[in-house]
Amino acid sequence: MESYTAENTTFSLETAGEEQLQSAGKWARFVGIVFIIFGSVLLFATILLLANFSSLMNEVIQLNGISEEMIDMLEKGGKYFIAFALILSAAVLFVNGVLLFRFGSYSNQYIRHKNESTLIASFENLKRYIYFSFIMACISAVLSLISTFVFFGS
Amino acid sequence: MENTEPVNIYLHENMSKSAKWAKYLAIITFASVGLSFLQLVFGIIANKGNIISTVFSFIISTVITMILAVNMLNFSKHSNLGLATKDKVYFTQAFMHLKNYFIVIGVIFIILLGLLALFLLVFTIVLIAKH
């Protein structure tokens, strides 16, 4: 466990550092907004998919000729699994987007008003974003490893 | 002109933890790239799919992923050095790498949005031409 004392917890930013932080904040806010928009679009697409699943499947059958078994599986419960995966993806995008937007907003507030509490809030959100990204990267790596074994193992 | 801002324990702790998780994120990203390379090699050996397009997409995704991971690692390294030495230059470099990380993601999104807009434009033109 790390311990922090008054002597070893003071640091300062020079003008160049503040400019870099401001620029990072602006880009983070932009990426955050895009994440939130993509998440909203995905959520909207999921609602549309669930509402028009039967008619959509008819269109897909005509286009690709999916087997009867596959359609039966999708209509029995597969569509809910797909909807769950899409909603989960939308939630991940939303959380990432909000954390990045907050990081950007608080860092810009700090640059403007030099209020220390906004800098703390800014880094709190950055820490959460990086931690969340790490968890997502771990899940992705594990799934990728499993798929490698399943796909090439056979 | 120097702008000295004393930063308290909470900020130190947040920066320190951000740097720690950024390092772990970079490491897991490097591991994922290695795993993707294995998948590519197995795919070529098994002769599954179009090799040229697979290799091309692998190179593009690997370059982008590596740039992101290296920036995250450098952000972590310079943040830790800044916290340890109290040298402002390290914080400036750390924020520069953080900025580069977000710029890369932002530019990818701009390209994707541009392609999406182009696709919609072409799709609309084709629809209008058909009617």
Side-chain angles (χ1 to χ4, degrees):
Chain A
M1 185 75 188
E2 290 173 78
S3 62
Y4 305 104
T5 59
E7 292 81 39
N8 67 13
T9 56
T10 52
F11 68 81
S12 58
L13 295 178
E14 58 183 2
T15 314
E18 286 188 352
E19 280 171 8
Q20 297 291 346
L21 180 65
Q22 190 181 26
S23 192
K26 278 179 183 169
W27 277 99
R29 204 157 56 167
F30 167 71
V31 173
I33 291 167
V34 176
F35 272 151
I36 291 168
I37 292 169
F38 278 8
S40 307
V41 170
L42 204 59
L43 201 65
F44 185 65
T46 311
I47 293 164
L48 281 180
L49 181 81
L50 280 176
N52 306 297
F53 193 77
S54 300
S55 55
L56 207 73
M57 280 315 296
N58 287 334
E59 293 289 325
V60 174
I61 294 162
Q62 284 170 9
L63 282 174
N64 296 325
I66 298 176
S67 66
E68 288 288 322
E69 285 172 359
M70 187 69 158
I71 292 161
D72 195 45
M73 188 272 283
L74 283 170
E75 282 182 345
K76 273 182 181 162
K79 68 175 177 181
Y80 295 111
F81 180 75
I82 293 169
F84 175 74
L86 288 173
I87 289 169
L88 200 68
S89 307
V92 168
L93 282 170
F94 250 102
V95 171
N96 268 331
V98 168
L99 290 174
L100 282 180
F101 185 80
R102 279 185 180 171
F103 163 67
S105 298
Y106 282 127
S107 60
N108 274 339
Q109 275 180 40
Y110 168 73
I111 301 295
R112 264 185 276 151
H113 307 297
K114 300 287 179 290
N115 184 354
E116 204 178 276
S117 64
T118 55
L119 192 62
I120 295 166
S122 165
F123 279 101
E124 178 76 35
N125 283 292
L126 179 70
K127 181 188 77 181
R128 285 179 186 165
Y129 165 75
I130 294 173
Y131 181 64
F132 194 64
S133 299
F134 169 73
I135 291 169
M136 289 297 118
C138 284
I139 293 169
S140 169
V142 169
L143 290 176
S144 182
L145 195 68
I146 292 167
S147 72
T148 307
F149 280 119
V150 171
F151 194 67
F152 296 107
S154 58
Chain B
M1 193 180 83
E2 285 192 353
N3 185 2
T4 306
E5 294 290 329
V7 185
N8 65 21
I9 289 166
Y10 294 112
L11 185 53
H12 188 284
E13 199 177 321
N14 280 339
M15 269 212 85
S16 173
K17 283 186 176 167
S18 296
K20 185 179 84 177
W21 289 113
K23 189 171 83 179
Y24 293 155
L25 178 62
I27 290 167
I28 198 87
T29 309
F30 286 131
S32 295
V33 168
L35 200 62
S36 300
F37 180 71
L38 272 180
Q39 284 179 338
L40 178 79
V41 171
F42 287 150
I44 290 169
I45 292 167
N47 205 12
K48 283 178 178 169
N50 188 346
I51 292 172
I52 296 168
S53 66
T54 312
V55 171
F56 183 72
S57 61
F58 170 79
I59 291 168
I60 298 282
S61 65
T62 302
V63 167
I64 293 167
T65 313
M66 290 296 271
I67 292 170
L68 291 175
V70 166
N71 275 310
M72 261 292 137
L73 199 64
N74 282 330
F75 163 70
S76 168
K77 191 178 83 180
H78 289 110
S79 293
N80 280 330
L81 281 169
L83 290 170
T85 61
K86 315 283 180 299
D87 192 339
K88 296 167 194 173
V89 176
Y90 287 124
F91 290 120
T92 305
Q93 286 177 333
F95 294 141
M96 187 191 75
H97 288 294
L98 190 67
K99 180 192 78 179
N100 290 344
Y101 174 82
F102 288 126
I103 285 177
V104 172
I105 301 175
V107 167
I108 291 166
F109 276 138
I110 289 169
I111 292 168
L112 282 178
L113 289 172
L115 286 173
L116 191 71
L118 194 72
F119 172 76
L120 286 174
L121 188 75
V122 171
F123 187 71
T124 313
I125 290 168
V126 170
L127 271 183
I128 291 167
K130 272 188 174 178
H131 287 93

